[in-house]
């Protein structure tokens, strides 16, 4: 039984509005997320993180990888 290696995938968005749309998309897939807000930026959403199973990665092809 092979042990799965952890990995990090970063997707980039233009602004908080686009980030919120991405967050809604992921939540509608039924995937749990952790949201990150910045108190010094009036609690603006600045990121979210989730654990995505490899068999669900295709659902994220609409997002652009951060370069």
């Amino acid at each position: 039984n092979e042990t799965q290696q952890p990995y990090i995938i970063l997707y980039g968005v233009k602004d908080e509005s686009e980030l919120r749309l991405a967050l809604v998309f992921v939540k509608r897939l039924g995937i749990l997320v952790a949201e990150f807000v910045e108190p010094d930026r009036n609690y603006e959403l600045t990121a979210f993180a989730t654990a995505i199973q490899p068999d669900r990665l295709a659902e994220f092809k609409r997002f652009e990888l951060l370069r």
Side-chain angles (χ1 to χ4, degrees):
N1 196 4
E2 287 187 35
T3 303
Q4 193 138 33
Q5 296 298 313
Y7 53 90
I8 295 174
I9 300 172
L10 300 173
Y11 296 104
V13 294
K14 289 188 265 186
D15 54 28
E16 184 186 12
S17 168
E18 199 171 296
L19 181 61
R20 288 194 177 280
L21 288 173
L23 179 61
V24 168
F25 172 80
V26 172
K27 285 182 172 183
R28 284 186 179 159
L29 292 175
I31 297 173
L32 297 176
V33 299
E35 299 176 32
F36 298 91
V37 297
E38 293 296 328
D40 60 336
R41 294 182 69 169
N42 200 26
Y43 294 91
E44 177 181 341
L45 179 68
T46 55
F48 67 86
T50 186
I52 302 168
Q53 297 302 317
D55 63 333
R56 299 200 70 179
L57 286 174
E59 296 174 86
F60 292 82
K61 66 182 175 187
R62 68 185 278 178
F63 297 107
E64 185 175 331
L65 290 174
L66 188 62
R67 298 180 191 268

